[in-house]
Amino acid sequence: MDRPPVTGDATVDGEGRVWPRRLGWAALAVAVGATATFVPPLVLPGGRDHPPAATAPTPTPAAGVGGSTPAPVPTSPATTPSRSAVPSTSSARPSARPGFDPISLHAADEANLRNGARVIECPTCVGGSRVGYIGGPNTLAIRVADVPAAGERTLTVTYETAETRTLLVAVGDGPVQALTLSGAGDWRIPATVSLRVHLPAGTSWVRFFNDAGPAPDVNRIELR
Protein backbone atom coordinates (compact mmCIF):
# COMPACT_ATOMS: atom_id res chain seq x y z
CA MET A 1 0.00 0.00 0.00
CA ASP A 2 1.28 3.42 -0.83
CA ARG A 3 1.98 5.57 2.19
CA PRO A 4 0.06 8.88 2.08
CA PRO A 5 2.12 11.92 1.78
CA VAL A 6 3.22 13.50 4.97
CA THR A 7 2.11 17.03 5.33
CA GLY A 8 2.94 19.69 7.80
CA ASP A 9 -0.13 18.83 9.79
CA ALA A 10 0.73 15.15 10.01
CA THR A 11 3.41 12.96 11.55
CA VAL A 12 4.57 9.39 11.06
CA ASP A 13 4.71 7.04 14.09
CA GLY A 14 7.15 4.15 14.63
CA GLU A 15 4.99 1.71 12.67
CA GLY A 16 4.77 3.95 9.65
CA ARG A 17 1.31 5.23 10.36
CA VAL A 18 0.54 8.84 9.50
CA TRP A 19 -1.21 10.92 12.11
CA PRO A 20 -2.41 14.42 11.77
CA ARG A 21 -0.17 16.70 13.79
CA ARG A 22 -3.12 18.58 15.18
CA LEU A 23 -4.15 15.54 17.20
CA GLY A 24 -1.04 15.92 19.30
CA TRP A 25 -0.54 14.00 22.43
CA ALA A 26 -4.22 13.22 22.88
CA ALA A 27 -4.30 11.24 19.66
CA LEU A 28 -1.16 9.37 20.67
CA ALA A 29 -2.75 8.32 23.99
CA VAL A 30 -5.81 7.02 22.18
CA ALA A 31 -3.61 5.05 19.84
CA VAL A 32 -1.69 3.44 22.68
CA GLY A 33 -4.96 2.52 24.41
CA ALA A 34 -6.31 0.98 21.20
CA THR A 35 -3.15 -1.04 20.83
CA ALA A 36 -3.55 -2.39 24.41
CA THR A 37 -7.07 -3.57 23.71
CA PHE A 38 -5.81 -5.94 21.07
CA VAL A 39 -3.53 -7.85 23.44
CA PRO A 40 -5.05 -11.34 23.64
CA PRO A 41 -6.06 -12.48 27.15
CA LEU A 42 -3.94 -15.01 28.95
CA VAL A 43 -5.34 -18.48 28.38
CA LEU A 44 -4.99 -20.55 31.54
CA PRO A 45 -4.71 -24.33 31.37
CA GLY A 46 -7.82 -26.26 32.21
CA GLY A 47 -10.26 -24.01 30.42
CA ARG A 48 -11.56 -20.52 30.96
CA ASP A 49 -14.21 -21.58 33.46
CA HIS A 50 -12.06 -23.95 35.56
CA PRO A 51 -8.97 -22.27 36.93
CA PRO A 52 -6.39 -24.66 38.43
CA ALA A 53 -6.70 -25.34 42.14
CA ALA A 54 -4.13 -23.72 44.35
CA THR A 55 -1.64 -26.17 45.80
CA ALA A 56 0.25 -25.74 49.05
CA PRO A 57 4.00 -25.58 48.74
CA THR A 58 5.72 -28.87 49.62
CA PRO A 59 8.01 -28.41 52.63
CA THR A 60 11.58 -29.43 52.08
CA PRO A 61 12.59 -32.08 54.66
CA ALA A 62 15.72 -31.46 56.63
CA ALA A 63 18.67 -33.33 55.30
CA GLY A 64 20.16 -36.02 57.50
CA VAL A 65 23.71 -37.20 57.79
CA GLY A 66 25.39 -37.20 54.39
CA GLY A 67 22.58 -35.17 52.81
CA SER A 68 20.04 -38.04 52.91
CA THR A 69 16.54 -37.54 54.19
CA PRO A 70 16.06 -39.30 57.56
CA ALA A 71 13.37 -41.95 57.66
CA PRO A 72 10.43 -41.14 59.91
CA VAL A 73 10.61 -42.77 63.33
CA PRO A 74 7.67 -45.14 63.78
CA THR A 75 5.65 -44.58 66.88
CA SER A 76 3.74 -47.27 68.69
CA PRO A 77 0.58 -46.64 70.66
CA ALA A 78 0.92 -46.57 74.41
CA THR A 79 0.09 -49.87 76.00
CA THR A 80 -1.14 -50.65 79.48
CA PRO A 81 0.78 -53.48 81.19
CA SER A 82 -1.30 -56.55 81.88
CA ARG A 83 -1.87 -57.85 85.37
CA SER A 84 0.45 -60.78 84.68
CA ALA A 85 3.32 -58.35 84.10
CA VAL A 86 2.89 -56.75 87.53
CA PRO A 87 5.01 -58.61 90.07
CA SER A 88 3.09 -60.10 92.96
CA THR A 89 3.92 -58.54 96.31
CA SER A 90 3.20 -61.81 98.14
CA SER A 91 5.79 -63.77 96.10
CA ALA A 92 8.36 -61.00 96.60
CA ARG A 93 8.16 -61.24 100.41
CA PRO A 94 10.93 -63.28 102.07
CA SER A 95 9.92 -66.49 103.75
CA ALA A 96 8.91 -65.97 107.36
CA ARG A 97 10.40 -69.38 108.29
CA PRO A 98 14.16 -69.24 108.96
CA GLY A 99 16.44 -71.95 107.65
CA PHE A 100 17.38 -74.99 109.71
CA ASP A 101 20.99 -76.11 109.97
CA PRO A 102 21.73 -79.75 110.86
CA ILE A 103 22.41 -80.36 114.54
CA SER A 104 24.87 -83.02 115.72
CA LEU A 105 25.21 -83.84 119.43
CA HIS A 106 27.23 -86.45 121.33
CA ALA A 107 25.58 -88.53 124.05
CA ALA A 108 28.52 -88.04 126.41
CA ASP A 109 28.34 -84.21 126.36
CA GLU A 110 28.23 -82.62 129.81
CA ALA A 111 25.08 -80.64 128.97
CA ASN A 112 23.04 -83.86 128.78
CA LEU A 113 21.15 -85.53 131.64
CA ARG A 114 22.12 -89.07 132.59
CA ASN A 115 19.94 -90.57 135.27
CA GLY A 116 21.70 -93.80 136.18
CA ALA A 117 23.22 -94.11 132.67
CA ARG A 118 27.04 -93.97 132.39
CA VAL A 119 29.70 -92.91 129.89
CA ILE A 120 31.67 -95.87 128.50
CA GLU A 121 35.03 -95.54 126.76
CA CYS A 122 34.90 -96.90 123.20
CA PRO A 123 37.84 -96.24 120.84
CA THR A 124 35.85 -97.44 117.80
CA CYS A 125 32.77 -95.33 118.63
CA VAL A 126 32.13 -91.81 117.34
CA GLY A 127 33.97 -89.40 119.67
CA GLY A 128 35.70 -92.28 121.49
CA SER A 129 32.85 -92.94 123.95
CA ARG A 130 29.17 -93.87 124.30
CA VAL A 131 26.46 -93.84 127.00
CA GLY A 132 25.37 -97.26 128.29
CA TYR A 133 23.37 -98.89 131.06
CA ILE A 134 20.14 -97.37 129.73
CA GLY A 135 16.97 -99.17 130.73
CA GLY A 136 14.73 -99.78 133.74
CA PRO A 137 15.07 -96.66 135.92
CA ASN A 138 18.14 -95.42 134.03
CA THR A 139 17.56 -92.80 131.31
CA LEU A 140 19.44 -90.48 129.00
CA ALA A 141 18.22 -87.03 127.86
CA ILE A 142 20.20 -85.11 125.19
CA ARG A 143 19.74 -81.32 125.22
CA VAL A 144 18.87 -79.57 121.89
CA ALA A 145 19.15 -75.77 122.20
CA ASP A 146 18.53 -72.70 120.05
CA VAL A 147 16.25 -74.28 117.44
CA PRO A 148 15.10 -71.35 115.19
CA ALA A 149 11.72 -72.78 114.20
CA ALA A 150 9.53 -75.71 115.06
CA GLY A 151 8.99 -78.39 112.45
CA GLU A 152 9.19 -82.02 111.45
CA ARG A 153 12.79 -83.24 111.50
CA THR A 154 14.67 -86.44 110.80
CA LEU A 155 16.39 -87.80 113.91
CA THR A 156 19.30 -90.17 113.23
CA VAL A 157 20.61 -92.14 116.24
CA THR A 158 24.06 -93.76 116.24
CA TYR A 159 24.06 -96.67 118.70
CA GLU A 160 25.91 -99.90 119.61
CA THR A 161 24.56 -103.27 120.69
CA ALA A 162 25.62 -106.91 120.46
CA GLU A 163 22.07 -108.25 120.80
CA THR A 164 18.51 -107.24 119.88
CA ARG A 165 17.17 -104.68 122.31
CA THR A 166 14.33 -102.12 122.45
CA LEU A 167 15.00 -98.39 122.61
CA LEU A 168 12.19 -95.92 123.41
CA VAL A 169 12.62 -92.39 122.00
CA ALA A 170 10.61 -89.21 122.68
CA VAL A 171 11.16 -85.47 122.20
CA GLY A 172 10.12 -83.74 125.42
CA ASP A 173 6.57 -84.80 126.28
CA GLY A 174 5.86 -85.80 122.67
CA PRO A 175 4.82 -89.24 121.46
CA VAL A 176 7.06 -92.19 122.33
CA GLN A 177 8.46 -94.30 119.48
CA ALA A 178 9.68 -97.85 120.19
CA LEU A 179 12.63 -99.10 118.13
CA THR A 180 13.70 -102.74 118.11
CA LEU A 181 17.39 -102.71 117.21
CA SER A 182 19.93 -105.43 116.48
CA GLY A 183 22.74 -103.20 115.25
CA ALA A 184 25.98 -104.77 114.01
CA GLY A 185 25.94 -107.47 116.69
CA ASP A 186 29.07 -105.99 118.31
CA TRP A 187 29.39 -103.36 121.07
CA ARG A 188 32.40 -101.84 119.28
CA ILE A 189 30.75 -101.24 115.88
CA PRO A 190 28.38 -98.27 115.52
CA ALA A 191 25.03 -98.62 113.72
CA THR A 192 22.38 -96.03 112.85
CA VAL A 193 18.60 -95.74 112.77
CA SER A 194 16.43 -92.81 111.61
CA LEU A 195 12.92 -91.65 112.53
CA ARG A 196 10.71 -88.58 112.07
CA VAL A 197 10.07 -86.38 115.11
CA HIS A 198 8.48 -83.01 115.78
CA LEU A 199 11.14 -80.63 117.09
CA PRO A 200 9.86 -77.51 118.88
CA ALA A 201 11.55 -74.12 118.65
CA GLY A 202 13.96 -73.09 121.38
CA THR A 203 15.35 -75.74 123.74
CA SER A 204 14.07 -79.28 124.08
CA TRP A 205 15.24 -82.71 125.25
CA VAL A 206 15.47 -85.96 123.29
CA ARG A 207 14.85 -88.80 125.81
CA PHE A 208 16.12 -92.41 125.56
CA PHE A 209 14.80 -95.10 127.90
CA ASN A 210 13.24 -98.58 128.17
CA ASP A 211 11.08 -99.24 131.21
CA ALA A 212 10.80 -102.97 130.42
CA GLY A 213 14.47 -103.89 130.10
CA PRO A 214 17.96 -102.94 128.89
CA ALA A 215 18.34 -100.70 125.83
CA PRO A 216 21.17 -100.33 123.31
CA ASP A 217 23.98 -97.89 124.15
CA VAL A 218 23.63 -94.45 122.54
CA ASN A 219 26.62 -92.85 120.83
CA ARG A 220 25.30 -89.59 119.24
CA ILE A 221 22.29 -88.01 117.49
CA GLU A 222 21.82 -85.84 114.43
CA LEU A 223 18.79 -83.70 113.52
CA ARG A 224 18.06 -82.52 109.96
Side-chain angles (χ1 to χ4, degrees), residues 10-11 21 36 40 53 63 67 80 83 121 129 149 151 155-156 163 165 173 177 186 193 218-219 222-224:
T11 184
R21 185 177 298 276
T80 302
R83 287 183 177 270
E121 297 294 327
S129 62
L155 170 63
T156 300
E163 57 190 34
R165 293 187 176 185
D173 295 331
Q177 300 188 50
D186 192 320
V193 63
V218 177
N219 191 176
E222 186 176 33
L223 288 158
R224 289 184 176 273

Side-chain angles (χ1 to χ4, degrees), residues 147-204:
V147 176
E152 296 295 317
R153 309 296 177 190
T154 297
L155 170 63
T156 300
V157 181
T158 301
Y159 69 97
E160 291 80 24
T161 185
E163 57 190 34
T164 301
R165 293 187 176 185
T166 300
L167 180 65
L168 303 181
V169 183
V171 178
D173 295 331
V176 177
Q177 300 188 50
L179 306 175
T180 300
L181 306 173
S182 298
D186 192 320
W187 291 104
R188 297 168 297 178
I189 302 176
T192 60
V193 63
S194 296
L195 62 153
R196 294 290 291 176
V197 297
H198 178 78
L199 186 67
T203 300
S204 59

Side-chain angles (χ1 to χ4, degrees), residues 103 105 109 111-113 141-146 203-206 221:
I103 298 174
L105 300 169
D109 288 346
N112 302 331
L113 297 178
I142 297 179
R143 182 174 181 264
V144 182
D146 302 326
T203 300
S204 59
W205 298 84
V206 181
I221 66 170

